Amino acid sequence: MVVQGLSAADNDSPDASRLIGRSIELAVENVKRGGGPFGALVVRDGKVIGEGANSVTKEFDPTAHAEVVAIRAACKHEQQFHLNGCVLYTSCEPCPMCLAAAYWAHVSKIYYAATAEIAAAAGFADAFIYEQFRLPREERSIAMIQVPHVDVNRAFQDWNQQATKIDY
């Protein structure tokens, strides 16, 4: 399998194959335990620093996707909220939320096994979300209503004046 945007050498490395295999193993194990068919891991310098499996239905948490769980575990392990230099290995192409989480975490590269089309065929379709993002706010299926308020800038002003703030 060749992952778009990566060279054949990246895709054929024994480590990439082994780590993708581990993400698939996490997904298969998770299905046996009643979870969703997704697994992921975060790797720094060849060492796994975070693993995750989809626990949406078990935790009653729609954000508990494998990639998010793995990113959370890696950040906790590293005691930081950025994962510069880390690689995300996942059993499936990340959904919009997981891709955004990878960007927020500053992950350097993503390897994935199954495509979004394979996931959609199994009932996990993300195309609708991508379509919603392209629509103007007023045309989205979830109503987004801005409420003007006198204190709209207060938290941002306090943040900007905070001498000990940690930028992210």
Side-chain angles (χ1 to χ4, degrees):
M1 169 186 19
V2 175
V3 179
Q4 293 179 358
L6 300 175
S7 71
D10 283 334
N11 292 313
D12 295 336
S13 82
D15 277 348
S17 180
R18 178 179 60 82
L19 293 165
I20 281 292
R22 175 63 183 146
S23 72
I24 293 169
E25 185 179 300
L26 287 168
V28 170
E29 290 169 1
N30 199 48
V31 169
K32 290 177 183 173
R33 292 189 310 269
F38 304 96
L41 42 127
V42 176
V43 175
R44 179 187 297 286
D45 300 324
K47 181 182 175 206
V48 175
I49 61 169
E51 286 189 342
N54 180 291
S55 59
V56 168
T57 56
K58 292 192 310 190
E59 299 292 330
F60 306 105
D61 180 355
T63 69
H65 289 202
E67 297 88 343
V68 172
V69 173
I71 288 169
R72 288 174 181 162
C75 288
K76 190 170 194 163
H77 177 271
E78 297 288 290
Q79 291 294 292
Q80 59 185 358
F81 49 83
H82 285 159
L83 297 171
N84 301 78
C86 289
V87 180
L88 177 64
Y89 291 85
T90 179
S91 64
C92 188
E93 185 175 353
C95 74
M97 177 184 70
C98 294
L99 183 58
Y103 275 104
W104 277 113
H106 296 200
V107 167
S108 298
K109 191 182 291 188
I110 300 171
Y111 288 89
Y112 62 94
T115 63
E117 292 77 18
I118 292 171
F124 298 92
D126 300 326
F128 171 75
I129 298 170
Y130 283 112
E131 291 167 9
Q132 289 291 303
F133 288 160
R134 286 189 283 272
L135 292 173
R137 285 186 203 101
E138 62 275 3
E139 293 179 26
R140 294 179 186 162
S141 65
I142 296 176
M144 293 182 63
I145 301 116
Q146 182 184 18
V147 179
H149 192 278
V150 66
D151 288 331
V152 69
N153 290 320
R154 186 171 161 202
F156 296 110
Q157 290 167 344
D158 289 353
W159 169 259
N160 285 326
Q161 293 172 4
Q162 187 72 260
T164 59
K165 72 179 174 192
I166 299 172
D167 291 325
Y168 62 97

